[in-house]
Amino acid sequence: MFARRIAVIGTGYVGLTTGACLASLGHHVVCADVDVAKVERLRAGKVTILEPGLAELVAEGQAGGRLEFVVGAAAAVGDAEVVFLCVPTPMGQGGAADLAAVESVISEVRTILPVGSIVVNKSTVPVGTAARVSNLLKRKDVPVVSNPEFLREGTAVHDFLNPDRIVVGCDIQDAAERVAALYSRLGAPTVLTDAASAEMVKYAANCFLAMKLSYVNAIAELCERLGADVADVTEGMGYDRRIGQSFLQPGPGWGGSCLPKDTQALLQVAAAVGYDFSLLQATIDTNTHQRQLIVAKIREAAGGRLRGRRIGLLGLAFKAGTNDLRDSPALAVAALLRAEGAELTGYDPGIDQHVDGVRVVSDPYEAAKDADTVVVLTEWPEFRGLDWTRVGELAAGSVVVDTRNHLDPDALRRSGLTWWGVGRGHLDLGQDLAAVI
């Protein structure tokens, strides 16, 4: 494999992981960001993103002279053969992806990109963005390639270095092959296609995962109504190779930095071409309903009302192993609880920052103290090992609402607590099930 000179624009979650991992593959990588303070921290080897293995890769890349950090895109692209765009594409007006950061970078570097270099869209962007960027560049000698990322927070380094597949799309075959060659050491299946299809792969994959999560949450609610156990149901489903075990865990709804904005963006793209994507809309509506259902469960556990009730929240990040609060379902549930007048105290092993409406504490037992109900919202492994007898002694109430089915119900019962999960208990509807069927 030939080592390439690579520029990565943006040092957020995707950009920093991309830069550090490409450097670990032997390439020389210059990462750029507009945040001067962030660049200074990274130059000093300080990685604030909670991601296993990332800080170590950054340190290795810097020590080996293969990874450096600069301020501004223009400072990074001077001799780059490949330029990765890893800038934010947040949800904009109406749900469409906001490409302002992409356009700003292109405007900055358009005239200084080396002849024959390649621009790569790594950020999640709508179908047609590669063509749009190419038009903005006005450089026939600089092809634009789509190379979507498929990184899961908490396992991003592993995912990058052990990918299920590499997807590269460009209408110029040689450019696609040159980008695909950057990953040749990984030995992953590679899909070479046109730019529009590559862009569509990312949205199609993420929206399918969102549908799967919404589906299992709906099944969990049905299990409660029928007295079935969703854990056994999903185990039976998951052994079917056509379905698989992943994304079959019910919870407080899906969230994070990708699924909410990607589902909305694909809805907008579909509407723009006159397609009523009702299945995807139902996926989003089911997710909203799931959060309301969780709040109803907490309300019941708190005695039928939330105003003035103290609720202890265990977990604030959108998933365990991260310190990412973006579109966290835990915070969405917290907002609904707060809207009904609940007083919230929260603990998360990865969070030490201010969270609106939640008193964030540094100890899980402090979160449980005087709580009318304790609620598990993020599946941190350490929650399983808490002294639940102590939790019961500190809390005012005896019910623990486990929105992730993460805890051992028997362990809580032995501690004198009542465990309420999702989809694992019979919901008394005041009628005989046999009479219904």
Side-chain angles (χ1 to χ4, degrees):
M1 183 197 78
F2 293 103
R4 298 297 185 186
R5 298 186 304 278
I6 297 173
V8 175
I9 313 303
T11 61
Y13 189 85
V14 172
L16 188 58
T17 302
T18 297
C21 288
L22 286 172
S24 76
L25 295 178
H27 303 293
H28 182 270
V29 182
V30 179
C31 292
D33 203 286
V34 295
D35 187 331
V36 176
K38 181 191 287 189
V39 170
E40 289 301 321
R41 287 195 301 270
L42 290 170
R43 284 173 174 169
K46 298 178 181 178
V47 176
T48 58
I49 297 172
L50 182 59
E51 182 61 47
L54 183 56
E56 292 80 0
L57 275 190
V58 169
E60 290 172 10
Q62 289 177 299
R66 298 185 308 276
L67 181 64
E68 57 183 297
F69 299 94
V70 299
V71 177
V77 304
D79 64 349
E81 298 170 85
V82 183
V83 178
F84 282 84
L85 303 184
C86 300
V87 295
T89 54
M91 190 186 306
Q93 187 173 7
D98 184 349
L99 299 179
V102 172
E103 294 171 354
S104 176
V105 170
I106 293 304
S107 176
E108 181 180 353
V109 304
R110 183 175 65 84
T111 60
I112 59 175
L113 287 170
V115 173
S117 59
I118 299 173
V119 170
V120 181
N121 279 330
K122 196 72 172 173
S123 305
T124 301
V125 293
V127 177
T129 300
R132 181 175 176 178
V133 169
S134 184
N135 289 335
L136 291 172
L137 273 175
K138 296 182 175 64
R139 291 278 302 269
K140 292 183 177 181
D141 63 307
V142 179
V144 178
V145 172
S146 175
N147 174 218
E149 53 85 15
F150 301 99
L151 306 179
R152 298 169 297 168
E153 293 196 41
T155 58
V157 170
H158 178 272
D159 292 345
F160 191 102
L161 298 176
N162 302 272
D164 294 326
R165 76 290 201 194
I166 304 293
V167 177
V168 183
C170 186
D171 298 334
I172 301 174
Q173 183 75 9
D174 176 67
E177 291 175 351
R178 286 166 62 191
V179 171
L182 298 175
Y183 304 96
S184 60
R185 284 182 55 185
L186 302 179
T190 301
V191 178
L192 295 179
T193 183
D194 58 273
S197 296
E199 291 164 341
M200 188 64 181
V201 166
K202 178 60 182 291
Y203 282 106
N206 274 0
C207 291
F208 179 81
L209 295 177
M211 289 180 190
K212 196 172 181 182
L213 288 169
S214 284
Y215 178 79
V216 78
N217 280 334
I219 290 296
E221 181 178 356
L222 195 55
C223 284
E224 290 194 3
R225 291 175 177 268
L226 297 176
D229 188 330
V230 73
D232 293 340
V233 171
T234 54
E235 181 182 8
M237 292 170 60
Y239 284 120
D240 188 327
R241 289 188 296 272
R242 298 167 300 175
I243 297 174
Q245 299 281 356
S246 64
F247 284 76
L248 282 183
Q249 294 74 39
W254 42 264
S257 61
C258 293
L259 297 190
K261 74 182 184 69
D262 290 355
T263 49
Q264 289 289 346
L266 189 56
L267 269 185
Q268 293 297 315
V269 168
V273 293
Y275 179 68
D276 179 13
F277 207 155
S278 55
L279 180 60
L280 186 54
Q281 183 63 61
T283 296
I284 297 169
D285 294 342
T286 298
N287 196 48
T288 300
H289 171 74
Q290 183 68 11
R291 294 170 178 178
Q292 295 166 342
L293 189 69
I294 293 297
V295 170
K297 191 182 291 284
I298 297 169
R299 185 190 304 116
E300 183 181 353
R305 67 179 177 86
L306 286 166
R307 183 161 300 280
R309 298 295 193 188
R310 294 186 177 183
I311 309 296
L313 308 178
L314 296 181
L316 300 170
F318 101 93
K319 67 180 290 189
T322 79
N323 57 356
D324 195 345
L325 295 173
R326 290 176 294 176
D327 277 303
S328 168
L331 296 191
V333 169
L336 293 173
L337 294 171
R338 190 170 64 251
E340 293 194 32
E343 300 174 8
L344 308 178
T345 301
Y347 166 77
D348 189 293
I351 303 298
D352 60 2
Q353 64 195 77
H354 171 75
V355 175
D356 288 342
V358 180
R359 183 172 69 92
V360 179
V361 295
S362 59
D363 182 86
Y365 300 106
E366 179 67 18
K369 185 178 181 182
D370 298 325
D372 293 291
T373 305
V374 174
V375 183
V376 175
L377 287 167
T378 311
E379 69 285 16
W380 285 95
E382 73 173 62
F383 293 159
R384 290 197 184 106
L386 292 179
D387 182 344
W388 286 100
T389 298
R390 182 182 175 192
V391 170
E393 292 170 349
L394 290 168
S398 62
V399 178
V400 175
V401 178
D402 182 1
T403 71
R404 299 279 186 172
N405 292 343
H406 181 59
L407 307 176
D408 179 354
D410 291 333
L412 267 67
R413 293 181 187 118
R414 289 193 298 269
S415 299
L417 294 166
T418 300
W419 178 87
W420 287 9
V422 176
R424 302 197 64 188
H426 179 64
L427 184 65
D428 185 5
L429 298 177
Q431 56 186 331
D432 185 355
L433 178 60
V436 175
I437 59 176

